[in-house]
Structure formats: structure tokens, C-alpha cells
Amino acid sequence: IAGITQAPTSQILAAGRRMTLRCTQDMRHNAMYWYRQDLGLGLRLIHYSNTAGTTGKGEVPDGYSVSRANTDDFPLTLASAVPSQTSVYFCASSERAGEGTGELFFGEGSRLTVL
Amino acid sequence: GQNIDQPTEMTATEGAIVQINCTYQTSGFNGLFWYQQHAGEAPTFLSYNVLDGLEEKGRFSSFLSRSKGYSYLLLKELQMKDSASYLCAPRDSNYQLIWGAGTKLIIKP
């Protein structure tokens, strides 16, 4: 089934540890995004990529890094996890950035707990 | 600054109609999206408005007034499966979505 796959679905992590959340899409979408979702808040954009080889910072990029070596993969890395990074992380993609309906397709989410 | 305002929670009865309002202030405007999110699941696309007026799609309709910074989502013939959060998300001048915290809709029999 075409779509976006995230891994892991859930993880408990000790503070200070490094963690990479994986995201793969098979829809050949150009644009990909990482959001975090916290209770009572809207989705907040961490990083995005409009096309393979390029990345940009979103609203809350500190403590996170991304890479986009190819069209399909967009991993999110926490270099040294802190408790405030406890959240549900969603990877999303759209056919292209910019104009048009720009419908986002989301992965199932990765629930991360940092202790 | 950019701001989205929608009710935190609403309750409605199965078979009835409910309207979820959203007011927004963004730096520029390039359309507005509504997404549905069931508890513990990913958001899924419902509707997109870029011009003023009503867009109808089955039991769901979405309205936009750009001059008022206002949109609503109208759900008709409510079903139990419509219990979910509904997220309003206008797109700003950089084509980035600005997300509201969502309205949790509870459907009662």
C-alpha cells in the first residue's frame, strides 16, 4: 500500500541519547515535512524539504536535524534528547511545495518519550 | 503574529448538523485546509478553500471568507465515526500551513 512509513512507532529514550526517527514515502512526492504534536497545541513544523537535496527550518528546529539524500527518505535526528522533546512526531509529504491544493499525506506518527 | 482560533471541544447528536468555526490571522494567505484526526491516528485531508464561498463534498462542507479571516466546517447527518478532532490550517505567504490546536468533536447517540 502506497504511503508514508515511520519508524519506530513508539520509543522511550534516556535524556542525552541520540535518536533518529525514520520516514520513507513511496509516492514520489517532492516535499516532505516533520511536525511535532503536543496536547493543546497545533502541529508545529520542525523541518521541511521542498525537494531532494534541500532542507529548511520550520517553527521549532532547535535540537533537531534532518537530511534529504533522496526523494523517498527524510530522517529526523535528535542529537541529544531532552525531556521537552517528548511528543508525537508526524512525517508528512506533498506532491510539491508551493501552489496548488498541497494536500499533505501523513505517516502514522512516532510517539517519543524522553526521560 | 500568526494565530488560529477554534473551539476546543464541541458535542453533537448523531444525525444532527454541526458547524465548527475557525478564525485566523496569518502573514499572507494561500488557501485554508481542514483535516480530520481520530484519536491516536494521523490527520487526514478533508477540504481546501482558496476562494470565498462554500465547497461541498458529501456530508462535509467548508466555507471561507478571506476578508473576515473566517472559515467553518459543516458536518451533516452526523455519524458516530465523525467523533474526532478537526484541524483548521490556513497557509501563509510562504506556503507553510499554520495549524490550529483543533476542535474535539464528541458525537452522542
Side-chain angles (χ1 to χ4, degrees):
Chain A
I1 298 177
I4 297 182
T5 303
Q6 290 184 232
T9 55
S10 181
Q11 182 76 44
I12 299 174
L13 188 66
R17 298 297 296 267
R18 181 184 179 89
M19 177 72 195
T20 295
L21 303 180
R22 300 183 298 278
C23 176
T24 299
Q25 54 105 356
D26 61 3
M27 297 176 283
R28 308 303 294 172
H29 283 174
N30 285 309
M32 297 188 74
Y33 312 84
W34 274 106
Y35 288 94
R36 59 178 288 173
Q37 187 174 41
D38 302 290
L39 197 62
L41 298 177
L43 289 160
R44 290 183 292 170
L45 183 65
I46 304 170
H47 284 286
Y48 64 93
S49 170
N50 289 337
T51 190
T54 69
T55 62
K57 294 182 179 180
E59 179 185 357
V60 289
D62 294 344
Y64 306 94
S65 64
V66 293
S67 62
R68 186 88 184 277
N70 56 61
T71 297
D72 299 343
D73 301 301
F74 191 44
L76 176 74
T77 297
L78 290 68
S80 179
V82 295
S84 62
Q85 292 178 312
T86 294
S87 188
V88 179
Y89 291 86
F90 285 102
C91 180
S93 72
S94 62
E95 190 172 350
R96 62 183 184 277
E99 299 184 35
T101 64
E103 176 185 349
L104 293 184
F105 295 83
F106 285 84
E108 290 305 305
S110 297
R111 182 175 296 275
L112 184 65
T113 302
V114 182
L115 301 176
Chain B
Q2 308 203 96
N3 186 61
I4 315 300
D5 191 24
Q6 52 180 131
T8 303
E9 187 175 296
M10 299 181 70
T11 302
T13 304
E14 190 177 15
I17 299 173
V18 70
Q19 178 175 311
I20 302 174
N21 296 323
C22 171
T23 57
Y24 64 88
Q25 289 179 303
T26 55
S27 301
F29 180 80
N30 284 294
L32 186 143
F33 295 78
W34 284 95
Y35 280 76
Q36 180 190 60
Q37 185 177 25
H38 286 100
E41 298 183 8
T44 55
F45 171 80
L46 283 179
S47 69
Y48 170 71
N49 295 68
V50 66
L51 299 176
D52 291 350
L54 190 68
E55 293 282 342
E56 296 185 82
K57 189 187 293 186
R59 293 189 299 114
F60 292 11
S61 302
S62 56
F63 172 84
L64 175 67
S65 170
R66 289 171 295 172
S67 63
K68 296 182 179 178
Y70 169 69
S71 175
Y72 68 73
L73 182 68
L74 190 72
L75 292 75
K76 304 175 184 176
E77 301 169 15
L78 286 169
Q79 302 174 11
M80 297 303 292
K81 67 179 182 179
D82 297 329
S83 291
S85 288
Y86 291 86
L87 314 180
C88 171
R91 193 163 56 177
D92 69 11
S93 58
N94 294 319
Y95 292 92
Q96 294 294 351
L97 292 176
I98 310 300
W99 297 85
T103 298
K104 183 179 180 180
L105 178 63
I106 300 168
I107 309 297
K108 295 185 175 180

